[in-house]
Amino acid sequence: MIVLPPELLPQLGEGLWHMFAVFLRVSAMVSLLPAFGERSIPTRVKLGIAVAFTLIVAPAVQAAGTAPDLFPLARMIVVETLIGVVLGLGLRLFVLALQTAGSIAAQATSLSQILGGAAADPVPAMGYLLTLAGLALAVLLGLHIRVAQFLIYSYTLFPMGLAPMAPDLSQWGVQQITRSFGMAFALAMPFVIASLIYNLALGVINRAMPQLMVAFVGAPAITFAGLFLLFAGTPLILSVWSDALFAFMVNPLEGTR
């Protein structure tokens, strides 16, 4: 039987409390992380990922001290969980931007009904392909390292137990949502332009030759154009998206100050 010296028990208690305080923020953020927090990943795997990130982040964060009383403890749990959820939502919006860009591109090129239920979320095939490729690229570029750095840096922005101000948080959230939709539309812009040119050309042809069934001629053309743009533009789309994702991890408050 192993008996710990009495003087080590307070230090052990403080260490466990510190790990628990870090785990609150990390677990809330991991549940929404790109790649690591997808709905297709089992809960036990997410729990293991959260524990692994906690073991990495905790030594780099200032110790939380002794466990507070009941009400300060409840406040600490709520605040740390809220900060983790907010940071995780900021990263999750980048995945939603890819899905939205794929939906816009598929709708513009009349490919929105192909493999619409292949993913956990009902997105068209283009959105599913872009999302899967973007997540794979982010992991290959060292997403786990960037996430660990981002978690450590988050304690500089939001010290442990200090709740963010509601007006600042709401303003930041609105700006991130606006940025996400703007990025989605920008990524899908080539498909929207191609669809505009296609519809204008179809209207001119139909005006010149009313007896011609332009829909039967134009449908294969817009399908081919959409697939070609997807083949040629995906590397650039994913490059722009990954740069924006990692730039957010470096400075999540950019444009809010």
Side-chain angles (χ1 to χ4, degrees):
M1 182 178 180
I2 300 177
V3 180
L4 294 176
E7 59 271 12
L8 291 181
L9 293 179
Q11 298 181 6
L12 181 61
E14 293 178 3
L16 291 176
W17 161 244
H18 177 61
M19 295 287 289
F20 173 72
V22 174
F23 178 77
L24 290 173
R25 181 179 300 192
V26 171
S27 60
M29 181 176 166
V30 166
S31 64
L32 296 169
L33 271 181
F36 300 110
E38 303 301 322
R39 290 197 297 177
S40 57
I41 297 180
T43 305
R44 294 181 180 179
V45 177
K46 294 181 182 178
L47 179 61
I49 294 173
V51 171
F53 276 120
T54 301
L55 295 176
I56 295 172
V57 173
V61 178
Q62 185 178 1
T66 58
D69 296 332
L70 179 59
F71 291 106
L73 175 61
R75 182 180 183 278
M76 170 76 75
I77 293 175
V78 172
V79 168
E80 289 300 305
T81 304
L82 173 64
I83 294 174
V85 168
V86 167
L87 296 177
L89 284 175
L91 294 174
R92 174 56 53 178
L93 286 175
F94 285 90
V95 179
L96 296 179
L98 272 183
Q99 294 179 353
T100 305
S103 299
I104 295 174
Q107 189 69 34
T109 54
S110 302
L111 296 173
S112 58
Q113 302 300 323
I114 300 178
L115 300 178
D121 297 322
V123 295
M126 283 188 178
Y128 178 69
L129 177 62
L130 289 176
T131 303
L132 187 61
L135 295 178
L137 178 62
V139 173
L140 288 175
L141 292 177
L143 178 63
H144 55 294
I145 300 175
R146 305 294 184 96
V147 168
Q149 295 173 346
F150 181 58
L151 283 168
I152 296 172
Y153 179 59
S154 70
Y155 285 92
T156 303
L157 300 175
F158 308 104
M160 186 176 296
L162 183 61
M165 300 297 294
D168 297 337
L169 186 60
S170 61
Q171 180 183 2
W172 178 85
V174 171
Q175 290 181 353
Q176 295 307 313
I177 294 174
T178 304
R179 180 182 181 180
S180 175
F181 277 99
M183 180 188 300
F185 189 77
L187 295 178
M189 183 61 68
F191 301 90
V192 176
I193 294 175
S195 176
L196 177 62
I197 296 174
Y198 161 76
N199 285 285
L200 288 176
L202 221 62
V204 172
I205 295 174
N206 189 31
R207 188 73 174 179
M209 302 178 62
Q211 69 277 12
L212 179 64
M213 301 295 292
V214 292
F216 292 100
V217 179
I222 190 61
T223 301
F224 174 78
L227 294 177
F228 176 77
L229 286 176
L230 181 66
F231 169 77
T234 297
L236 180 59
I237 291 174
L238 296 182
S239 176
V240 173
W241 177 82
S242 61
D243 290 342
L245 174 64
F246 293 140
F248 174 82
M249 290 185 178
V250 173
N251 186 13
L253 300 181
E254 181 180 4
T256 60
R257 294 180 178 178

